Every structure is written in structure tokens, then in C-alpha cells.
Amino acid sequence: MSTPRPYYRAVAGELDAARTASLAGLPLLLKGPTGSGKSRLVEALSFELGRPLITVACNDETSATDLLGRWLVKGGDTVWQDGPATRAARLGALLYLDEIAEARDDILVVLHSLADHRRELWLDRRDERLQAAPGFQLIASYNPGYRRAARDLKPSTRQRFVALSLTYPGPDVEAEIVATETGCTPKLAKGLVGLAHKIRSVHELALNETVSTRLLVHAARMVAAGMDPRAACHVAVVEPLSDDAEIVQALRDLVSLAL
Ligand code: ADP
């Protein structure tokens, strides 16, 4: 059975730009808040181009060795196991490094040689120089608003990429995404998007991250599974956004006004 085409609703020509970067053989940096569609865009791109997708969710322990590979002891033997970057380079796949700024700085060595004209990897532990197969593309995502002071991408890294900013779409498009993604009524989609716009505009809430399209999709799914819309917003939108009792109450009030 063939896999269905991932649903991605382009907001401002970003899918076209991403496709062009792939065809031009350039690495791509997707900037945007959590839940703004970065991963979905990459899935759609992989499907369209017919190239496999290898995703790495980076965290503060992700190292160059994790990306490249390591020797493992199996039985009495030592066997080499390719890491995701090596596999992607051999296969000619899209390598998606999600939340790249979280990873350890030593991954830059890997990125820089893959991202520039060399398109190669140096596997020092194997003494192998690997040229990325045609079709290989490095794609990274980065959330500029998140822990800004602690983690920012260095100019020498970011200037190797073609970069696209993803933001939350306008109300009609966001409602279309929520309705298409969940099959909910246009009325519910509109109500959820209205709530999101209200929350995004109240800066006094001082949220670390504001409500994303992902949270609206979750709320609509809870309603589809039988929950009352306000209760669904409480568990799918309000509680994930804050632990502060006062802010939770303020968000609940906004839910009551919107739905
Ligand atoms: P990110 O990678 O930016 O954190 P995702 O790509 O995982 O976000 O998006 C979260 C969810 O939001 C998706 O699973 C999808 O339901 C929905 N979504 C957000 N933006 C879009 C879009 N432009 N087209 C289709 N779905 C979207």
C-alpha cells in the first residue's frame, strides 16, 4: 500500500522555496516556533521529491558521534554502525536535524563539511571520507524565540543555509488547516483560531511559547473524540501552555469567551 501524501498547507510560498533549495542542492534552515509546521513541511518535501527522510530530534546530548556512527562490540566482534548523518549521505536522503541549536557544538564539524560545496563526511573513527550521494540534503530546524540567550546559532553556521521563516498563518488559513487536519466543523475551527489569536495578542500572559497550530489540532481531535469544546481546550491548550495558576485561570477565561 502506498503512503498517503502528507498534508501541508503552504502559507507564503515556503514549500516552493524549500523545493527549489532541494533542487539547487542547498542546505535548508527552517526557523519558527514549535508547532508551526516545520516537520510537516519536511515530510511533504520528502514525499514530493521521492527521497527518503531521516530525522534526528536533537537534544543537549546529541554529539558528532551520534550523527556519524560508532564501533559496537557484538559477540566477540567489533562492528561499525552508521549514524543517521552517514546513512543519509550514503542513501541520498533528506537529513532533518530538528532543533539543531540544542545539539552539542561538536556537531558543527559534521554540518560544515556536509553543508558546503564539499558535501562530504569525514568518518575519523573509520578513516573514511564519504561523498554524499546525489539527492542528499541537509535540513535543520531552529526556534529563534526559545531560550534565546542560552542557545543561538553561530553566523558561521547559519550562513551556510538557505533560510525560511515559518510563522503562524492568518486566521482563514489556520482554520482551514485545523479543519482539514481533523475533519472538525468550520465553526469549531474558527472558534479555536479566534481563541489562538486572542491568546497570542495578550502579551501580559508572558508565556514561554504561545499557542501553536499543533495545540489547536489537538483540541479539535479531543472534540472529535467526544469531549466538550471548552474542556478540550482546557486539556489541549491551557494546561500545556502554563503551570502558573493565575495564568491558567486567565487562559480559561479566554476559552469561555471564545467558545
Ligand atoms: P514543528 O515541527 O514546527 O514543531 P509540526 O510540523 O510538527 O511543527 O506541526 C504540528 C502540527 O500542526 C502538524 O502535525 C499539523 O497537524 C499542524 N500544522 C501546522 N502547520 C501546518 C501546515 N502549514 N499545514 C498542515 N498542517 C500544519
Side-chain angles (χ1 to χ4, degrees):
M1 214 175 70
S2 61
T3 15
R5 168 184 284 272
Y7 166 65
Y8 181 76
R9 168 62 156 94
V11 176
E14 67 282 8
L15 185 56
D16 291 342
R19 190 187 308 108
T20 307
S22 304
L23 299 175
L26 291 171
L28 180 66
L29 179 64
L30 300 175
K31 303 194 283 180
T34 182
S36 59
K38 301 183 293 297
S39 305
R40 185 60 71 83
L41 186 156
V42 177
E43 287 163 22
L45 190 65
S46 151
F47 183 91
E48 265 195 26
L49 297 168
R51 297 186 202 166
L53 171 62
I54 297 181
T55 298
V56 181
C58 298
N59 60 57
D60 52 10
E61 300 204 339
T62 308
S63 67
T65 306
D66 294 325
L67 296 183
L68 293 175
R70 45 171 56 90
W71 291 102
L72 299 175
V73 180
K74 272 197 183 153
D77 293 333
T78 335
V79 287
W80 172 260
Q81 191 178 57
D82 279 347
T86 309
R87 250 183 302 133
R90 290 195 205 280
L91 270 175
L94 305 185
L95 173 66
Y96 178 43
L97 303 180
D98 195 8
E99 297 293 353
I100 194 180
E102 297 289 305
R104 283 180 18 189
D105 286 344
D106 72 345
I107 71 154
L108 294 185
V109 189
V110 181
L111 295 188
H112 287 188
S113 66
L114 274 178
D116 64 24
H117 64 278
R118 291 172 285 170
R119 288 169 60 85
E120 67 178 24
L121 275 179
W122 167 235
L123 304 171
D124 55 346
R125 292 171 186 222
R126 255 172 86 82
D127 199 17
E128 179 185 350
R129 193 169 293 283
L130 175 67
Q131 188 71 41
F136 171 84
Q137 187 187 17
L138 176 62
I139 306 178
S141 79
Y142 163 59
N143 181 350
Y146 183 61
R147 292 203 272 161
R148 181 183 290 271
R151 287 275 180 185
D152 236 337
L153 275 188
K154 291 187 178 61
S156 59
T157 302
R158 50 199 296 161
Q159 290 197 17
R160 285 163 202 263
F161 291 84
V162 167
L164 298 174
S165 266
L166 274 72
T167 50
Y168 300 124
D172 291 347
V173 173
E174 193 164 31
E176 182 191 319
I177 292 171
V178 174
T180 310
E181 188 71 359
T182 66
C184 77
T185 62
K187 182 167 175 265
L188 178 65
K190 209 169 160 219
L192 291 170
V193 169
L195 170 66
H197 276 252
K198 195 73 204 152
I199 295 175
R200 289 172 193 157
S201 67
V202 183
H203 298 290
E204 292 75 24
L205 290 170
L207 300 166
N208 281 340
E209 285 262 4
T210 193
V211 53
S212 64
T213 310
R214 175 189 288 129
L215 296 191
L216 305 183
V217 166
H218 288 178
R221 292 219 165 105
M222 294 297 281
V223 175
M227 209 175 210
D228 161 75
R230 285 187 184 175
C233 284
H234 181 64
V235 293
V237 176
V238 173
E239 289 291 346
L241 282 178
S242 181
D243 301 322
D244 180 299
E246 269 182 41
I247 294 177
V248 165
Q249 190 51 52
L251 289 168
R252 292 193 77 143
D253 293 344
L254 291 177
V255 171
S256 306
L257 286 173
L259 295 162

